[in-house]
Amino acid sequence: MRYIRFFYLTAILALGLSLCAKAQHKKSKPNIVYIMSDDHAYQAISAYGHGLNHTPNIDRLAKEGVMFTRASATNSLCAPSRAVLLTGKHSFVNGKIDNMAKFDWSQDNFAKMLQKHGYQTALIGKIHMDGLPDGFNHSAVLIDQGEYYNPNFVINGHKQQLSGYVTDLTTDMVIDWIDHRDADKPFCVLYHQKAPHREWLPALRHIESYTAITYPEPKTLFDNFEGRGTAAKTAEMNILKHMNWAGDNKVPPALMDELGLKEYMNWDKAAYTNNLGRMTAQERREWDAVYDPIMQTFKAQYPNMSSRELLQWRYQRYMQDYMGTVAAVDDGVGKLLDYLKANGLEENTIVIYTSDQGFYLGEHGWFDKRFMYEESLRTPLLIRYPKEIPPGKIADDLVQNLDFAPTLLDYAGIEIPKDIQGESFRALVAGKDTTWRDAVYYTYYEYPSIHMVKRHYGIRTDRYKLIHFYYDVDEWELYDLEKDPNELKNVYNDPTYASIKQQMTVKLKDVRKKYNDSPENDARYLPSK
């Protein structure tokens, strides 16, 4: 009898220890907060040192974790970037090559894998892809690009208009979902802000202060593209020539008519009317109280402005509104970080801040993205995870959005599927592994289309960049980023770079082979004629 009792006590103890171990294992799995803003240039985060604005809350992630200085996108476009994030596969593999192509939600994604391993998941904010998001216990997503004021969300399949400013609403929904989650399970929430996407409408609390700022002009604001090929010269993203007067610069349609200003895009005036028309009467009064005097001053100055002065005026208008929308994003990051700390979630939660791609803030006279040039290719990337990542770390490694899915699966203790093309950088940021790729691969397909950036692909290494523009042209560009960080001189045909050109050409072929890309893929995604 004593033996039987001993046996049962031992079995119960073993079972208890097993349950405790399982519970501890569950608790040890990190929570994940993945923050992606839209079109947030790394230059517009003060931790990167460009002196354009102040983002104290995003900077906290740099101080308390790691800041990557050369993170990049594989395809600098909104929806394709999100597809790469979800799948860990290049655009030509996951099928979302541009903003028009359909995304197949039935294919696997990292959120589905997290769900299968006990995570509760949510997607809140912008996704810019058709269909009900698959892999999420909860979704509240904007329709297409979404709206800044009183936006429409599709919440678990049901459309609903919410009152308020989109950046604040997205933040509050994220916090509310975390607050009401199952506390016994780890969670992953994709917190996707619309801002600072075009057309830029800052929160009312920021408009007065940000419209009063004068921003330093980039050295290449008046770039004439001498020494470069057809692609840069024919792109339609010049602030003076191609930016919308009403929708972008907030010149009222009536004032456009009075001054004889023509629409570049046929939705210019409609964008202004629709965007501001979403405001309540009180919101519109507060808006007009700030913007009307700006426009009256412009009305008086316009007749005597040179084209150079007009470009400078439009640059300031652009930057003021762009940076104003960034301010609310930073507010939201601060509110979330404070919530995690106050609720004991700080230590075991991975917080990632990034953007879907880079963005031009007047460099080369441009706005928008799409090119493989640095301002468009590079993304901000800051990660805090106190358990593994030392504070204040700077990483110069060539990571890409291709790597997010495998990295997050790695942190969650889930085996990374062999068909994922990205690599986990978990060991890299923890200082346990110094080996990493020596080149990143880029593709761009959305041509002919808005902004008319030609189709291209290429590689970037530590020092050099090789780009091939194709389809209606056949042009190559090679840049020495150490000597020419602004990419003003194409040295592809420079004899002194002959050996570098050969090495980079071989490297490009090897990288394309590694990722199973080919001329056949390029041809498969050409537009039908």
Side-chain angles (χ1 to χ4, degrees):
M1 183 63 72
R2 287 179 181 174
Y3 173 78
I4 293 172
R5 285 176 181 167
F6 177 76
F7 173 80
Y8 278 118
L9 285 171
T10 304
I12 290 169
L13 179 62
L15 178 61
L17 289 172
S18 175
L19 291 173
C20 286
K22 286 182 179 178
Q24 186 62 35
H25 177 68
K26 277 187 177 180
K27 288 182 180 178
S28 67
K29 283 184 177 290
N31 303 310
I32 300 164
V33 176
Y34 177 92
I35 311 170
M36 176 186 277
S37 53
D38 194 306
D39 292 347
H40 193 175
Y42 63 89
Q43 310 96 291
I45 292 177
S46 46
Y48 281 95
H50 290 264
L52 292 174
N53 64 338
H54 187 42
T55 52
N57 297 301
I58 299 173
D59 290 0
R60 283 168 60 182
L61 298 175
K63 293 174 184 174
E64 299 168 8
V66 59
M67 180 173 71
F68 285 86
T69 62
R70 291 192 296 193
S72 64
T74 57
N75 182 344
S76 293
L77 206 55
C78 300
S81 178
R82 287 163 171 76
V84 171
L85 154 70
L86 289 166
T87 63
K89 300 171 185 176
H90 276 281
S91 300
F92 52 85
V93 176
N94 67 50
K96 186 64 176 169
I97 59 162
D98 56 29
N99 281 336
M100 283 79 75
K102 293 287 184 182
F103 179 68
D104 180 8
W105 280 104
S106 69
Q107 64 184 302
D108 216 354
N109 66 53
F110 81 88
K112 293 182 185 180
M113 299 177 214
L114 290 176
Q115 278 185 322
K116 291 174 184 176
H117 287 80
Y119 272 77
Q120 53 199 318
T121 59
L123 168 58
I124 299 172
K126 181 178 175 179
I127 190 62
H128 199 199
M129 295 193 287
D130 294 333
L132 186 66
D134 195 356
F136 301 94
N137 301 101
H138 174 78
S139 63
V141 298
L142 294 162
I143 301 169
D144 194 36
Q145 298 288 2
E147 304 95 2
Y148 275 103
Y149 279 85
N150 306 308
N152 291 305
F153 278 85
V154 177
I155 302 176
N156 297 321
H158 302 285
K159 181 179 175 181
Q160 182 179 350
Q161 184 174 4
L162 302 182
S163 298
Y165 186 66
V166 67
T167 306
D168 301 336
L169 290 168
T170 303
T171 300
D172 290 343
M173 283 192 284
V174 168
I175 291 173
D176 183 69
W177 182 81
I178 297 174
D179 209 36
H180 291 88
R181 76 196 188 283
D182 182 347
D184 292 328
K185 295 180 180 179
F187 69 83
C188 172
V189 57
L190 305 190
Y191 168 20
H192 287 193
Q193 292 287 19
K194 167 186 170 60
H197 194 278
R198 185 188 193 188
E199 294 91 6
W200 309 277
L201 274 70
L204 293 174
R205 65 183 179 275
H206 293 134
I207 58 175
E208 186 171 7
S209 59
Y210 277 83
T211 54
I213 297 173
T214 299
Y215 289 90
E217 296 174 359
K219 294 178 180 178
T220 58
L221 181 63
F222 299 96
D223 193 351
N224 62 7
F225 305 108
E226 183 181 346
R228 276 147 292 166
T230 306
K233 294 173 183 176
T234 59
E236 298 178 358
M237 56 175 65
N238 180 267
I239 292 172
L240 175 60
K241 298 176 182 178
H242 306 121
M243 184 172 273
N244 284 336
W245 286 103
D248 294 332
N249 289 157
K250 313 305 184 298
V251 178
L255 181 56
M256 281 183 63
D257 293 341
E258 186 177 347
L259 298 177
L261 302 174
K262 304 298 182 184
E263 288 186 305
Y264 170 68
M265 291 298 220
N266 60 13
W267 41 266
D268 182 3
K269 294 178 181 178
Y272 178 96
T273 302
N274 295 336
N275 291 339
L276 272 64
R278 301 188 66 84
M279 295 177 174
T280 65
Q282 178 59 34
E283 288 169 339
R284 185 59 187 271
R285 280 193 292 271
E286 292 182 44
W287 179 276
D288 288 345
V290 173
Y291 282 82
D292 281 354
I294 295 172
M295 295 306 151
Q296 289 305 309
T297 300
F298 174 64
K299 177 182 176 180
Q301 294 175 341
Y302 175 74
N304 298 313
M305 293 174 78
S306 66
S307 59
R308 182 182 183 89
E309 290 169 333
L310 201 53
L311 172 55
Q312 291 173 315
W313 183 88
R314 301 197 75 178
Y315 167 74
Q316 294 300 332
R317 278 278 53 253
Y318 164 42
M319 291 292 284
Q320 289 164 358
D321 288 346
Y322 179 96
M323 293 300 185
T325 64
V326 170
V329 173
D330 189 68
D331 291 343
V333 172
K335 188 172 184 178
L336 175 70
L337 294 180
D338 290 346
Y339 169 85
L340 294 175
K341 185 173 184 178
N343 288 272
L345 296 169
E346 186 176 60
E347 189 70 18
N348 195 43
T349 299
I350 301 167
V351 180
I352 298 173
Y353 187 89
T354 188
S355 177
D356 48 356
Q357 70 271 312
F359 212 68
Y360 295 104
L361 301 182
E363 299 89 358
H364 309 292
W366 286 340
F367 67 105
D368 205 69
K369 58 260 184 176
R370 300 166 197 265
F371 273 112
M372 197 186 167
Y373 303 135
E374 285 296 281
E375 294 87 0
S376 170
L377 174 71
R378 282 177 55 187
T379 65
L381 178 58
L382 308 99
I383 308 175
R384 186 185 75 181
Y385 184 34
K387 284 188 174 181
E388 291 193 19
I389 300 174
K393 182 179 176 68
I394 303 294
D396 299 322
D397 309 279
L398 297 170
V399 302
Q400 289 192 286
N401 55 351
L402 191 71
D403 304 318
F404 291 144
T407 299
L408 294 176
L409 292 174
D410 191 0
Y411 276 120
I414 299 170
E415 184 177 355
I416 301 168
K418 288 183 170 46
D419 64 344
I420 280 184
Q421 294 181 301
E423 302 172 47
S424 170
F425 52 74
R426 179 185 182 181
L428 189 70
V429 295
K432 298 177 181 178
D433 186 3
T434 57
T435 59
W436 193 248
R437 67 168 67 94
D438 60 0
V440 292
Y441 184 53
Y442 181 87
T443 59
Y444 178 78
Y445 304 91
E446 195 170 284
Y447 176 89
S449 186
I450 185 173
H451 298 305
M452 298 300 284
V453 174
K454 295 188 181 296
R455 291 170 180 246
H456 60 289
Y457 60 83
I459 56 169
R460 185 210 197 278
T461 65
D462 179 62
R463 177 170 175 175
Y464 300 102
K465 183 182 295 181
L466 179 65
I467 310 172
H468 181 213
F469 293 95
Y470 66 98
Y471 176 51
D472 62 335
V473 294
D474 181 11
E475 297 181 0
W476 292 83
E477 295 182 5
L478 175 66
Y479 294 98
D480 183 341
L481 299 174
E482 183 178 290
K483 292 184 177 180
D484 180 25
N486 293 319
E487 296 166 300
L488 299 177
K489 184 180 180 183
N490 174 20
V491 295
Y492 186 78
N493 293 315
D494 186 334
T496 60
Y497 283 88
S499 62
I500 298 299
K501 170 182 168 180
Q502 183 180 12
Q503 293 169 25
M504 290 292 286
T505 302
V506 171
K507 170 64 74 174
L508 176 60
K509 289 180 181 178
D510 290 344
V511 170
R512 275 168 70 85
K513 183 177 180 181
K514 172 185 175 181
Y515 290 122
N516 296 317
D517 200 9
S518 64
E520 289 74 27
N521 268 344
D522 300 337
R524 179 159 61 103
Y525 290 120
L526 291 178
S528 57
K529 295 183 179 179

